[in-house]
Amino acid sequence: MDLHLTSDTPNAAEQLAVDSVLDAPESGFISDAHFISGEAYAPAAGHAARANRHLLLPVLHAIQERIGWISPGALNYACQRLTVPPTEAYGVATFYALFSVQPKPPVVAHVCDDIACMANGAETLCAEMAERFGAPGSAEQDSNLTWHHSPCLGMCERPPAAMVTAAGVTPSTTALAPVGIDEIAQTLADRGHTNKASEASTSVRSVPQAGSEELRLLRRVDRIDPDDLASYCGAGGYRALERALDMGPAQVVREVVASKLLGRGGAAFPAGVKWQAVASAETQPRYMICNADESEPGTFKDRVVMEEDPFAVVEAMTIAGAATGCGKGYIYLRGEYPLALERMTNAIAQARGAGLLGSSVLGHEVPFDIEIRRGAGAYICGEETALFNSIEGFRGEPRNKPPFPTEVGLFGKPTLVNNVETLINVLDIALEGGDAFAAIGTEQSTGTKLFCLSGHVARPGVYEVPFGTTLEELISLAGGVAGNGRLQAVLLGGAAGTFLTPQELALPLTFEATRTVGATLGSGVVMLFDDSVNMQNVLLRIAAFFRDESCGQCVPCRVGTVRQEELLHRLVADKTIGSVANEIHLLNEVGQAMRDASICGLGQTASSAIESAVARMELFNGKSH
Amino acid sequence: MPPEAEQSDFTPTWQFLNPVPRGPVPKAPEESAQPEIELTIDGRETSVPEGTTLLHAARGLGIDTPTLCYLESLTPVNVCRVCVVELEGSRTLVPACSRKVEPGMQVRTDSPRVRLSRRMVLEFLASSVDVSTAPELQAYMDEYEAEPERYGPPGPAASDSVRDNAVPGHHDSPVLDAAETVEQPVKIDNELYIRDYSKCILCYKCVEACGEDAQNTFAIAVAGRGFDARISTEFAVPLPDSACVYCGNCIGVCPTGALMFRSEFDMRAAGTWDEAAQSETDTICSYCGVGCSLSLHIQDNEIVKVMSPLESEVTKGNLCIKGRFGWQFMQQPKKEADEAQEDAQASE
């Protein structure tokens, strides 16, 4: 392929950033002195270079982290090294919120203003930020820092949350929660190199049940050193893998089918069906992907699992890979989770060092290794086919299904995609057998479930309960309603979920029971709002979220999310076109079209919470705020 | 070197013209009979070869399905969603343009759900995009009774480069009394064609024609995200700085007039564009030996634009810069002719 590049050239730092991912170029032709501009025929071109397209996202990360933005020269160099047309690379770079293709200060504060933080001081924090640092996105001419609003950062148990990214030779990403203006200012000032001890110590609060004998998925939280493989093994770690390798792949798949385990990422698809399909595929290679791009507002369970028990995720992925014949696993980790990234990276390295990953796992003739890929600020990349495109170096646009990932997935090969929580369930299934697992919970919803409690609840955090526990029991487990104590609404399942009223708390938390009332467990979000919260503002934030996160590929979602947000603004401001009933009818029609005609789950659920609030809470009939 | 060897290396050209000893005439392999798939569309049973899309199966029954992003010569991207149909057992509607038939499918192409989604898609497009030069889309709007004005009057246009520099994940609060649109200044950066992205419905056809489906030039791609998604060169550089080779194949596939010959754009601006007064003349391009079919669009005895029929075996609708734009020599531009005449009159 002939590449046509503009005349912009990279500087030395930009070249080093790209080379840090791709190694130094083999040919001297691509170097500082010989960078070919204009009609460039990259000497590194050919199949070998093009086969590296999947490194585009890591390369863009490297440039962003080193420089703070992706310049035309840097993009040209990346394109030349990878033989990617610059316009396509630009399309990828402009897809992600954590990348900038315009000059930007190297130090950036991302302050969460999403619904959980909104109920807990985000508004005040953002106002203080604006006062001290100017309007979001603005930066003084010579300033080296800026800030802007961020969608949910997944630290909802410790609101308000912020993240500071600092580009440079030693780049840093620092998650701060709970955070005040002074701490953000301090972190901005010392470029993110704050003592992280405070972060680790506060994470204890993420699992209020920690230490309880009843826990299964969370039983090791606080009982092991998450950075130490020996500690994990001492607590029973890697016995499940041993058992699985003894059983053999076919039996493991049978146990997963027998367990009736349903996916915990939101879609509740039977895991066994996926495992069977991939295991019986005739193509090689196949891929195993752990979807850790948890971005649903109000969801933080996968983050906590990866932070507190990272070896469990590695072990479970290994079992999945071995059982389905996948030699390579990817973990697609949300870009906003620095501690999870650190601990997963360490866990994978230690496991590899101990022969638990590699060409022969635990001495068996089973090859399996794991590579981490970081997201870059795009909710849509949690959609499995968008995730494939993201890993492959394309825009994170979902693909049409069928074909399904188990037939045509990553790099066009059969692919098994499971969420973090789904995967760690497999450890107990391997140890106890599928039937024992299926005995927990209810007939159709087996096992235990992690719920993310946030908002106006006394002890927010990740809770593990068997399916069938009622919403009321779960809330009282978390200490009951906080705030002013008068519950107004519960958001179940996340921004793509459903609002429930205080009259619906007897609802058993199972996939089947929620379905009968038109709700969903989604990703396990249980967010409480007391009656001081202006629910109309919450809905406006949700509508803005979906508009921001739509990939823009299909018309129903691209324009529907805009029209939905406009309609809500008109309803809130009481500036309707025609009657309120008329506008609500239109809102429902917009929702129907998005649900019916969008390509993927984002568009199909973008109206779900909003429509549920409008219908159940009669928000625009003067009966509530 | 012995003379014999020298001779044996030499084969006179005429020898190739002698009849070559013949073996059996090779036969094309017999087409393996495609298994037929039976399905029901709108209550009518039909049987089509495996691999057929619902769109074509429906067409076989004489059922028309609207399409915008679909084109025979391009890989279906199924993004416009105007072709959705109802499939029994499917939670959502499915795109007819790319969904392949399966045995026993029960499909409805005109159910209330289908009509609502199609109507909404058309309203979404017409309320956010200038569809004044998209007659096909307008016809669909009539058929599905689309009322884009339900969302309020069109909002203010974006000023120059605002949409090009949109930041993913952030947007301004909506204007209360209007529907946001993609209206923006026309991009005029070369003499051959213009890009009016106020008219772009983001059907991806131009990107496909510029890329793997035809030209393999990759001058344009989709950039940005959500409502800010847009067709762009890298860093939105003008076309002359991009990889564009001016084949104009993007214009050939654009369904809305967002990509337009400069000649058509200028004539429309001057109010002289008159399709009723135009005729089409089919001919063969004379520049090289490929033999591309050209359809010359003629108005007032002057070529105003050049297309190539999609059905053409040779071009499949594609041309190069010479066939597409190299016709100015055929005619003296009107302005110059007028000036020449004025000069002649003045000198008299």
Side-chain angles (χ1 to χ4, degrees), chain A residues 87 395 397 548 566 596-597, chain B residues 81 113 171 180 204 218 224:
Chain A
T87 180
R395 292 163 55 78
E397 292 173 352
D548 277 337
E566 288 170 347
D596 273 351
Chain B
R81 315 304 279 185
R113 259 178 92 193
H171 69 274
E180 188 168 344
Y204 288 54
F218 301 97

Side-chain angles (χ1 to χ4, degrees), chain A residues 17 45 99 107 180 208 210-211 215 242-243 248 250 261 271 273 287 330 377 388 398 418 503 556 577 601 613:
Chain A
F99 294 153
V107 187
L215 294 179
E242 272 175 29
R243 177 101 182 79
L261 173 66
V273 175
Y287 297 99
Y330 286 92
F388 300 153
N418 283 137
Q503 289 76 47
I577 299 173

Side-chain angles (χ1 to χ4, degrees), chain A residues 417-547:
Chain A
V417 188
N418 283 137
N419 159 271
V420 173
E421 183 190 346
T422 314
L423 277 170
I424 58 167
N425 275 289
V426 171
L427 299 176
D428 283 343
I429 294 172
L431 282 171
E432 305 168 354
D435 291 334
F437 182 91
I440 305 164
T442 66
E443 177 68 21
Q444 291 175 51
S445 306
T446 56
T448 56
K449 175 84 191 88
L450 302 183
F451 286 98
C452 312
L453 276 91
S454 65
H456 289 131
V457 63
R459 286 190 299 276
V462 178
Y463 287 83
E464 179 181 2
V465 291
F467 279 105
T469 308
T470 66
L471 190 50
E472 199 161 21
E473 287 164 352
L474 180 62
I475 292 170
S476 57
L477 188 63
V481 182
N484 65 17
R486 292 190 301 271
L487 184 65
Q488 180 178 198
V490 178
L491 177 59
L492 185 64
T498 329
F499 281 100
L500 298 176
T501 62
Q503 289 76 47
E504 296 173 281
L505 300 187
L507 179 71
L509 297 169
T510 63
F511 293 114
E512 59 275 16
T514 48
R515 203 175 300 130
T516 55
V517 298
T520 169
L521 292 181
S523 52
V525 170
V526 176
M527 198 183 292
L528 277 64
F529 299 92
D530 75 12
D531 69 2
S532 73
V533 175
N534 182 335
M535 291 310 289
Q536 296 183 344
N537 286 346
V538 174
L539 295 197
L540 290 179
R541 184 64 188 94
I542 292 175
F545 173 81
F546 281 112
R547 179 189 166 163

Side-chain angles (χ1 to χ4, degrees), chain B residues 219-239:
Chain B
I220 47 171
V222 180
R225 193 166 86 188
F227 195 69
D228 298 324
R230 57 202 178 265
I231 307 295
S232 180
T233 57
E234 64 273 21
F235 290 89
V237 296
L239 282 178

Side-chain angles (χ1 to χ4, degrees), chain A residues 57-238:
Chain A
L57 194 59
V59 162
L60 294 175
H61 263 302
I63 301 170
Q64 178 72 37
E65 289 196 327
R66 179 64 186 81
I67 313 296
W69 71 290
I70 299 161
S71 74
L75 194 80
N76 273 349
Y77 184 63
C79 288
Q80 198 170 11
R81 291 296 314 275
L82 293 168
T83 321
V84 173
T87 180
E88 286 199 357
Y90 181 75
V92 173
T94 53
F95 190 84
Y96 297 97
L98 294 182
F99 294 153
S100 175
V101 293
Q102 286 142 31
K104 194 172 181 175
V107 187
V108 184
H110 310 253
V111 184
C112 178
D113 68 342
D114 217 315
I115 45 179
C117 286
M118 229 172 115
N120 284 286
E123 244 167 282
T124 319
L125 181 60
C126 288
E128 287 169 342
M129 287 296 290
E131 198 176 313
R132 198 175 301 186
F133 300 105
S138 70
E140 301 283 328
Q141 199 84 68
D142 53 350
S143 165
N144 73 340
L145 54 91
T146 185
W147 78 285
H148 44 68
H149 298 289
S150 166
C152 182
L153 289 167
M155 292 184 284
C156 321
E157 81 278 27
R158 293 175 270 146
M163 176 180 77
V164 172
T165 51
V169 181
T170 49
S172 70
T173 302
T174 316
L176 302 162
V179 71
I181 178 80
D182 292 327
E183 202 182 343
I184 295 181
Q186 182 60 42
T187 314
L188 284 169
D190 57 22
R191 301 177 63 89
H193 297 297
T194 316
N195 182 1
K196 287 189 182 163
S198 61
E199 193 181 342
S201 66
T202 53
S203 70
V204 174
R205 280 195 275 150
S206 298
V207 182
Q209 291 168 300
S212 161
E213 292 301 323
E214 288 165 17
L215 294 179
R216 291 168 57 84
L217 301 173
L218 300 175
R219 62 173 169 259
R220 279 178 294 267
V221 173
D222 281 1
R223 292 187 166 189
I224 58 159
D225 174 358
D227 280 328
D228 183 21
L229 176 59
S231 168
Y232 175 71
C233 291
Y238 276 102

